[in-house]
Amino acid sequence: MRVRPFEDVVAAHGATVLRVCRAVVGPVDADDAWSETFLSALRAYPDLSEDANVEAWLVTIAHRRALDVGRARSRAPVPTDAMPERVAARADPATRDPDLWSALSRLPTKQRQAVAYHHIAGLPFADIARLLGNSPEAARRAAADGIKTLRKTYRKDEIA
């Protein structure tokens, strides 16, 4: 039987779960993924072993729920009054001033996830490797490559 109330788990790890959700699906769908994460976690929480790493467990659930929310969003029809004459061209990401989330979203999937799980959620590479289905060394390399790319493409403040 769990001694720690689930409300305390939400309070302790809610911000981390939200950051992971934002990194995986972006800020628009992050709230839905966060809610889905804690609904799933609430159902499974009574059966979680006492010695489990609750944060890693929640990040795993958040990863899966965020992917589910992203998939559902991509399949949803978008209503329009009329078909456009032609598709508007997207601005080249290299020519605009990217913020962190757009820079992060341009990383390859495994790099983006490794950066988010390690640098945003604070998970060790062994846990990240299990999430990504690779070795801890590959997870470490993906995170390092992602950070290297972000350092080249993202500038928080321009110094004149």
Side-chain angles (χ1 to χ4, degrees):
M1 183 172 169
R2 293 250 148 230
V3 176
R4 188 175 184 192
F6 190 72
E7 294 82 14
D8 292 350
V9 172
V10 174
H13 303 291
T16 299
V17 168
L18 184 58
R19 287 191 301 268
V20 169
C21 293
R22 283 181 180 158
V24 175
V25 295
V28 173
D29 293 325
D31 288 339
D32 290 339
W34 185 92
S35 297
E36 292 294 326
T37 297
F38 283 108
L39 284 173
S40 296
L42 178 61
R43 290 183 200 110
Y45 187 66
D47 298 326
L48 187 65
S49 68
E50 290 291 328
D51 62 340
N53 181 339
V54 176
E55 184 176 49
W57 175 70
L58 286 170
V59 167
T60 302
I61 295 171
H63 167 78
R64 292 176 182 155
R65 291 302 147 245
L67 291 176
D68 291 346
V69 167
R71 285 184 198 118
R73 164 83 64 180
S74 70
R75 292 183 200 129
V78 179
T80 60
D81 291 333
M83 292 295 292
E85 290 291 323
R86 63 182 196 168
V87 177
R90 289 182 129 179
D92 181 5
T95 62
R96 58 188 158 140
D97 185 19
D99 63 6
L100 180 58
W101 295 114
S102 66
L104 189 62
S105 71
R106 288 192 302 269
L107 291 175
T109 302
K110 289 217 177 182
Q111 287 181 15
R112 181 180 67 247
Q113 291 171 342
V115 167
Y117 296 149
H118 185 68
H119 295 284
I120 296 173
L123 291 180
F125 290 112
D127 291 342
I128 297 168
R130 283 190 288 278
L131 285 169
L132 299 181
N134 58 19
S135 68
E137 293 78 20
R140 183 183 307 275
R141 181 79 258 157
D145 290 346
I147 291 296
K148 181 179 178 182
T149 301
L150 285 174
R151 285 186 177 134
K152 291 179 184 175
T153 61
Y154 171 71
R155 293 188 182 112
K156 186 174 181 183
D157 296 311
E158 290 291 330
I159 300 173

